[in-house]
Amino acid sequence: MLLLLTLLFKELLFHGASTVGEKNQDLQVLRPHHLTTEEPLTFHLIQISSFANHSWAHTQGSGWLGELQTHRWNGVLGTIQFLWPWSRGNFSKEELKNLQALLQLYLHAFPRVVQAFASQFQFEYPFEIQISFGCRMHAGKASGSFLNGAYQGSDFLSFQGNSWKPSSGAGSQAQNVCNVLNHYRVIKEIVQILLSDTCPRFLSDLLEAGKAELERQEKPEAWVSKGHSPEPGRLLLVCHVSGFHPKPVWVMWMRGEQEQRSTQQGDIMPNADGTWYLRVTLDVAAGEVAGLACRVKHSSLEGHDIIIHLDGYSILLILICLTVIVTWVMLVMVGSWFKKRRSQHPRLQEFRKSPLLGKEIMAQKHILEEMENKPKPTLMTFVLPCT
C-alpha cells in the first residue's frame, strides 16, 4: 500500500513540476532581489499528528512565511486555505491543484501507515508526531532546506542529502524508523524534489506576491501601568506595546540610560489586524520607582524611540494632545469670525431667518427694493386765508 501511494505522489508531483520547469532553469538565483535582507527568509510547513489509539488520529497542518501564517489545512474538506490574497504566489491553478491532491493523499495515508507500523516502531499510545518541512532564502538565493521529525516533542529524525538520519540522542528507535524509510527510494526522490525545487520556487513567489505585506510598517503604541508584586513592599511595573509590524521589537525598562537587567519579556502575541502585542514587566521595590521609564525601539520609528516615564506620558501622546488642542483653537477662532460677520449684516441675517421660500422670497425682495428706490412724495402746505 505504501509503495502504491508513493507512486501516486510521484506522478502528481512530476506532472506539476513539468508545467513550470521551463520557467525556472536556474534555481540558484531567484527573482525577488529587492527583498534582500541580512536574515534568511524561510517558508515552512508544520504538521502535528496526534494518535490516541490504533483507530483514532487527528492531524493539523499550517504554512508559515517566517513568523507570518499564510496557509492552513482544512481537514474536513481536504483543502488548502489561503489566508492572504497573495498566499497562492504565482503558481498556476493546475500546479496548486496538483499540490493539494498530493497533500490530500499524504495526509489521508500518513495516520494509517503510522498506525500500521506503530508496534514495529515501538510507538506507545497516546503519542504525537510533529514534522517541519521548508526552505530558506538569503540575499535572493536559495540557501538550504530542511525536513525534521519529532516524536513526543523531542527531535527524532531528519532528511539530509538523500537519506533519513536519526537525531542525536534519539536512540535505536529512530534508527529503526530511518532504516525502514530508506528502503523506499521513491519517497526519497519525492522529498528531494519538494525540498530542492517546489519549496524554493514557492518561497520566491510568496516574497514577490506578498511584498507589500512583508514591507508593511506599523508604529507601536505604548503605555505603562503598575500593580502589586507578590512580595510585600514591591511593585510590578508593566509596559504594554501594541500595534507594531513587523514583529521584531526591542523593549526595555530603563533608569536614565541604564538598562534594567531584571526586565522580563513575555511572548509577542498577534493582534486581530495582523499587528503584534508585547508585555514587558519589572519587579522593583516601592521606593525605587522614581526615574524609571519604558523604552521602545522598532523599525517603523526610524530611530525615534518611544520613551514613557512611569508617571508621565510618551512624546507621541504629547504631540497628539497638542495637535488636538491647536485644532480646537482654530475651530473656535473660525467660529468667532463667522459670528462677527453675521452680526455686521443684521438685515441679511433676518432675511435668512424668513420662513418664506422660493418665489415668495424673491417677490418679497423685489418689493423691498422698489420701496427703497421709489421717490418719496413731497408734502405741500396750503395756507387758507381767514375770513
Side-chain angles (χ1 to χ4, degrees):
M1 176 182 175
L2 184 59
L3 180 59
L4 288 175
L5 285 171
T6 55
L7 289 174
L8 284 173
F9 292 166
K10 189 172 182 181
E11 180 182 354
L12 285 168
L13 192 61
F14 277 119
H15 178 70
S18 64
T19 62
V20 295
E22 298 177 356
K23 296 189 295 181
N24 296 274
Q25 296 297 328
D26 185 6
L27 291 176
Q28 297 303 314
V29 180
L30 301 174
R31 282 169 291 180
H33 298 281
H34 55 277
L35 288 174
T36 297
T37 62
E38 295 182 0
E39 297 295 328
L41 300 166
T42 304
F43 176 74
H44 63 285
L45 303 176
I46 296 177
Q47 173 192 340
I48 302 175
S49 295
S50 303
F51 298 84
N53 49 53
H54 68 280
S55 60
W56 187 94
H58 177 69
T59 295
Q60 295 176 300
S62 57
W64 300 78
L65 181 57
E67 295 180 332
L68 176 67
Q69 186 175 2
T70 53
H71 304 81
R72 182 186 298 118
W73 179 254
N74 187 321
V76 177
L77 300 177
T79 57
I80 301 172
Q81 291 183 334
F82 300 93
L83 304 183
W84 298 89
W86 46 268
S87 293
R88 290 175 171 80
N90 295 319
F91 271 31
S92 66
K93 291 182 179 180
E94 182 181 5
E95 189 166 17
L96 288 174
K97 182 179 178 181
N98 289 333
L99 288 174
Q100 181 169 278
L102 177 66
L103 287 173
Q104 286 175 342
L105 285 172
Y106 167 72
L107 293 175
H108 177 77
F110 181 82
R112 290 160 175 77
V113 172
V114 171
Q115 289 167 334
F117 282 85
S119 178
Q120 180 179 341
F121 292 160
Q122 299 178 345
F123 291 158
E124 297 181 0
Y125 295 103
F127 62 89
E128 186 174 270
I129 293 177
Q130 301 158 325
I131 297 175
S132 177
F133 167 101
C135 52
R136 302 182 187 90
M137 177 185 295
H138 181 62
K141 298 180 180 180
S143 61
S145 56
F146 55 89
L147 196 167
N148 302 314
Y151 172 69
Q152 297 290 57
S154 299
D155 291 341
F156 193 71
L157 54 77
S158 61
F159 189 82
Q160 300 179 27
N162 60 353
S163 64
W164 300 92
K165 296 183 179 181
S167 299
S168 176
S172 59
Q173 185 182 21
Q175 184 64 63
N176 183 26
V177 174
C178 290
N179 291 339
V180 172
L181 291 175
N182 283 326
H183 279 100
Y184 292 92
R185 180 179 56 84
V186 178
I187 291 180
K188 293 191 291 185
E189 290 179 358
I190 292 172
V191 172
Q192 284 182 305
I193 293 170
L194 290 171
L195 289 174
S196 64
D197 178 277
T198 308
C199 184
R201 287 191 296 106
F202 194 63
L203 172 55
S204 173
D205 282 354
L206 283 182
L207 294 175
E208 183 70 25
K211 176 186 175 184
E213 177 63 27
L214 296 173
E215 295 181 352
R216 171 186 173 195
Q217 293 283 333
E218 297 288 347
K219 293 183 179 181
E221 296 180 358
W223 65 98
V224 295
S225 61
K226 57 184 176 181
H228 294 288
S229 172
E231 299 182 22
R234 300 185 68 85
L235 291 174
L236 184 66
L237 311 182
V238 184
C239 183
H240 308 264
V241 184
S242 184
F244 56 93
H245 189 281
K247 188 176 181 180
V249 67
W250 184 92
V251 182
M252 180 67 67
W253 279 99
M254 310 284 293
R255 187 182 298 278
E257 294 297 323
Q258 184 179 2
E259 298 180 6
Q260 302 302 294
R261 294 301 180 182
S262 56
T263 297
Q264 298 293 320
Q265 178 173 311
D267 294 331
I268 300 179
M269 305 299 293
N271 290 321
D273 61 355
T275 60
W276 300 93
Y277 168 83
L278 175 63
R279 183 175 181 266
V280 175
T281 62
L282 180 66
D283 193 314
V284 297
E288 298 178 358
V289 172
L292 289 172
C294 177
R295 186 168 193 165
V296 181
K297 296 183 179 182
H298 189 259
S299 59
S300 64
L301 298 173
E302 299 179 345
H304 302 288
D305 300 350
I306 295 177
I307 301 176
I308 306 179
H309 295 277
L310 185 62
D311 296 321
Y313 302 91
S314 69
I315 296 176
L316 181 61
L317 183 60
I318 293 173
L319 291 175
I320 292 174
C321 292
L322 287 175
T323 302
V324 171
I325 293 173
V326 170
T327 303
W328 180 78
V329 171
M330 291 181 65
L331 289 174
V332 171
M333 293 176 63
V334 171
S336 300
W337 182 80
F338 275 109
K339 185 176 180 180
K340 184 178 180 181
R341 292 278 295 178
R342 286 197 300 268
S343 64
Q344 293 175 353
H345 299 82
R347 181 176 295 180
L348 180 60
Q349 187 175 5
E350 294 176 1
F351 178 74
R352 287 178 179 174
K353 293 181 180 179
S354 174
L356 300 177
L357 300 174
K359 294 181 179 180
E360 295 180 0
I361 293 177
M362 296 303 296
Q364 287 288 334
K365 183 179 179 181
H366 287 308
I367 293 173
L368 290 173
E369 290 177 351
E370 291 178 358
M371 292 178 65
E372 290 178 355
N373 297 330
K374 186 176 180 181
K376 297 181 180 180
T378 304
L379 294 177
M380 298 182 67
T381 304
F382 294 93
V383 178
L384 296 176
C386 295
T387 55

